[in-house]
């Protein structure tokens, strides 16, 4: 199967060839022909499978045939994404696909006045985070009445940021006669409800079962005390200092504290989280991509915005409260056909999270170290109040306050 077989025009296929893309991924193979026919599409596929091009190519193909340029403040195609990082990544991909279309990015953390000025000229494709788009709507800086294409990317994560309420404000501003595409890594009930409310007779394209992790990710879990986590992480990182590693922390303060501990241990580390400015986050990602930073500590704000093919290891220093977030986290490795490793740390009070993750995965995570707390990974009783017996002689120093 080639991109030509999917129905894309020769000019776009030639551009893909120059970019080094000659063979579509499974999600692209199934979604692009349906989208080119103008059908609404509901795409379910794990991260790293090429979903951006699956909606980006049909969007560029359709809008490239438009003879009239967008009017002032008007938008012809709208892409909504949950995070600044993902929105920026989408714009990078779309920019590579076309020279003729005007593509505009609007996200929080950037000058809203500069964004108002860009929108004043009109834009073919607007890529936005929901909150900033509503800010611009309130200022009457954007006109969505001519928007004929709507894309909701990583819709399941947007549910966590109050996206349903935002969509109820945004959708009525768009043309009723439009094509809508929604892509998600998982398929909780809320996504099915969104599809029913905002898509018309959608074609469902599902590449892998909801929650299934990338096939080439080797997953493992260590059962440790909270005090042992830092020492274990340093020991494991020390075994592959030349590789890029992404470490996930549950909290912003925890991520920053852990990053400083890793720096003291001699690692080239950086952090991204909600307390960082957009400029700081952009610089940290750029350094990680360039290789001057080898360990990036992040909260879930980064789980869907990092598209770096050679991240060899993902560490879940803290297990996420939402099991689907685990899938998104480990999807940062094993990208573009490569392999990768995902290592989780589990304390006694995280056994409930581990059980929920394994339920979503449909598999047990291989034990790499320690013993499941109380030997009861199958129990339904909460483990949060149980404290493990500690051995003072083996206990490492606590993390610095």
């Amino acid at each position: 199967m080639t991109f030509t077989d999917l129905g894309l025009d020769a000019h776009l296929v030639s551009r893909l060839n120059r970019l080094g893309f000659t063979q579509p991924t499974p999600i692209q193979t199934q979604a692009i022909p349906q989208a080119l026919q103008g059908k609404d599409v509901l795409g379910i596929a794990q991260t790293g499978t090429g979903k951006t091009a699956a909606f980006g190519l049909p969007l560029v193909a359709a809008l490239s045939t438009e003879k009239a340029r967008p009017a002032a403040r008007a938008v012809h195609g709208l892409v909504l994404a949950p995070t600044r990082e993902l929105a920026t990544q989408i714009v990078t991909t779309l920019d590579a696909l076309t020279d003729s279309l005007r593509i505009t990015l609007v996200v929080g953390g950037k000058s809203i006045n500069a964004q108002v000025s860009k929108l004043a000229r009109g834009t073919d494709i607007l890529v936005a985070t929901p909150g900033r788009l509503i800010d611009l709507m309130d200022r009457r800086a954007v006109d969505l009445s001519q928007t004929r294409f709507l894309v909701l990317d990583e819709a399941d994560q947007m549910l966590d940021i109050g996206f349903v309420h935002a969509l109820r404000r945004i959708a009525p501003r768009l043309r009723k006669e439009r094509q809508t595409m929604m892509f998600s890594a998982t398929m909780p009930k809320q996504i099915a409800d969104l599809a029913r409310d905002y898509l018309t007779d959608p074609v469902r394209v599902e590449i892998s079962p909801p929650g299934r992790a990338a096939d080439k990710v080797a997953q493992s879990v260590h059962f440790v005390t909270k005090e042992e986590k830092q020492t274990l992480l340093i020991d494991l990182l020390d075994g592959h200092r030349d590789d890029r590693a992404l470490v996930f922390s549950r909290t912003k303060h925890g991520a920053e504290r852990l990053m400083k501990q890793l720096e003291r241990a001699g690692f080239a580390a950086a952090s991204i989280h909600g307390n960082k400015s957009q400029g700081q986050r952009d610089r940290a990602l750029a350094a990680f991509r360039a290789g001057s930073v080898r360990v990036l500590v992040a909260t879930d704000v980064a789980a869907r915005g990092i598209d770096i093919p050679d991240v060899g290891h993902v560490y879940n220093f803290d297990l996420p409260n939402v099991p689907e977030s685990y899938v998104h986290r480990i999807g940062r490795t094993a990208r573009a056909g490569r392999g990768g490793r995902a290592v989780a740390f589990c304390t006694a009070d995280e056994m409930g999270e581990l059980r929920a993750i394994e339920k979503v995965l449909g598999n047990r995570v291989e034990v790499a170290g320690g013993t499941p707390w109380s030997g009861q990974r199958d129990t339904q009783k909460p483990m949060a109040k149980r404290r493990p017996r500690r051995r003072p002689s083996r206990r490492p120093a606590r993390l610095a306050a």
Side-chain angles (χ1 to χ4, degrees):
M1 182 69 68
T2 67
F3 284 105
T4 301
D5 298 328
L6 302 185
L8 294 171
D9 65 63
H11 176 76
L12 196 49
V13 171
S14 176
R15 192 175 188 91
L16 288 169
N17 288 336
R18 290 196 300 272
L19 292 171
F21 300 106
T22 57
Q23 189 171 15
T25 66
I27 186 67
Q28 294 163 5
T29 298
Q30 295 193 37
I32 289 175
Q34 303 293 341
L36 288 174
Q37 295 178 35
K39 297 179 181 178
D40 285 6
V41 174
L42 173 60
I44 309 296
Q46 62 198 36
T47 58
T49 55
K51 287 184 288 184
T52 303
F55 65 76
L57 285 166
L59 191 57
V60 168
L63 291 174
S64 295
T65 63
E66 294 280 337
K67 295 181 180 180
R69 302 296 298 177
R73 299 184 294 110
V75 174
H76 285 174
L78 173 64
V79 181
L80 293 177
T83 67
R84 309 168 197 171
E85 286 76 16
L86 180 57
T88 301
Q89 175 190 316
I90 292 169
V91 169
T92 300
T93 299
L94 295 177
D95 278 336
L97 297 178
T98 179
D99 291 325
S100 61
L101 298 178
R102 183 177 295 159
I103 301 169
T104 304
L105 171 69
V106 295
V107 297
K110 299 288 187 178
S111 169
I112 193 169
N113 291 328
Q115 293 170 359
V116 169
S117 297
K118 288 183 179 180
L119 289 171
R121 296 175 293 171
T123 186
D124 294 288
I125 302 175
L126 176 63
V127 182
T129 50
R132 177 49 60 94
L133 177 58
I134 289 176
D135 290 341
L136 290 162
M137 289 166 50
D138 289 342
R139 291 186 177 211
R140 299 185 178 180
V142 59
D143 176 11
L144 301 178
S145 64
Q146 299 178 39
T147 304
R148 298 185 294 106
F149 300 92
L150 172 64
V151 178
L152 311 176
D153 193 22
E154 302 287 11
D156 50 350
Q157 189 188 14
M158 285 199 281
L159 292 174
D160 298 334
I161 59 173
F163 174 62
V164 175
H165 301 292
L167 190 58
R168 285 174 182 159
R169 291 194 59 189
I170 296 169
R173 302 285 188 94
L174 280 63
R175 282 180 51 169
K176 292 183 178 180
E177 300 78 21
R178 65 173 185 266
Q179 181 182 15
T180 304
M181 292 181 276
M182 184 164 71
F183 288 80
S184 178
T186 59
M187 188 65 178
K189 180 180 180 298
Q190 298 97 315
I191 293 299
D193 293 341
L194 275 181
R196 184 184 64 248
D197 293 341
Y198 292 99
L199 277 67
T200 303
D201 297 325
V203 176
R204 175 165 170 161
V205 177
E206 186 170 346
I207 300 305
S208 58
R212 181 179 177 183
D215 294 334
K216 293 187 178 181
V217 179
Q219 301 174 64
S220 61
V221 59
H222 291 264
F223 294 97
V224 295
T225 65
K226 292 180 180 178
E227 291 80 5
E228 291 173 324
K229 280 186 176 184
Q230 179 196 336
T231 298
L232 177 58
L233 177 63
I234 290 174
D235 287 345
L236 293 175
L237 288 172
D238 199 44
H240 53 84
R241 280 183 175 264
D242 292 334
D243 295 338
R244 287 180 179 82
L246 185 57
V247 181
F248 281 102
S249 170
R250 184 177 295 123
T251 67
K252 295 176 287 187
H253 296 294
E256 191 67 13
R257 185 169 61 243
L258 181 57
M259 181 273 291
K260 292 178 180 178
Q261 291 290 340
L262 293 176
E263 283 188 328
R264 294 190 187 104
F267 293 94
S271 64
I272 57 173
H273 50 73
N275 283 350
K276 296 282 188 178
S277 69
Q278 186 61 43
Q280 289 174 317
R281 287 157 64 169
D282 289 344
R283 288 190 292 273
L285 282 173
F288 188 53
R289 183 175 287 107
S292 56
V293 163
R294 291 291 179 177
V295 183
L296 185 64
V297 185
T299 54
D300 282 312
V301 70
R304 312 223 191 169
I306 299 178
D307 186 14
I308 300 175
D310 52 355
V311 175
H313 294 74
V314 170
Y315 289 94
N316 280 280
F317 188 80
D318 300 313
L319 291 180
N321 294 321
V322 179
E324 287 81 7
S325 294
Y326 173 87
V327 179
H328 308 319
R329 289 179 176 187
I330 71 173
R332 298 307 98 197
T333 188
R335 298 179 76 80
R338 295 173 172 85
R341 302 189 66 85
V343 182
F345 298 167
C346 181
T347 61
D349 57 1
E350 291 177 306
M351 283 297 293
E353 283 84 349
L354 180 62
R355 288 195 301 270
I357 288 167
E358 291 178 328
K359 182 177 180 180
V360 167
L361 294 173
N363 289 300
R364 290 289 178 86
V365 178
E366 178 183 351
V367 178
T371 303
W373 294 104
S374 298
Q376 298 179 21
R377 290 175 76 181
D378 292 328
T379 182
Q380 298 301 309
K381 296 181 179 180
M383 302 292 292
K385 295 183 180 180
R386 184 177 180 84
R387 299 182 62 85
R389 184 171 57 191
R390 298 173 181 147
R391 299 178 182 178
S393 61
R394 296 180 58 193
R395 183 172 58 193
R398 289 179 178 270
L399 289 175

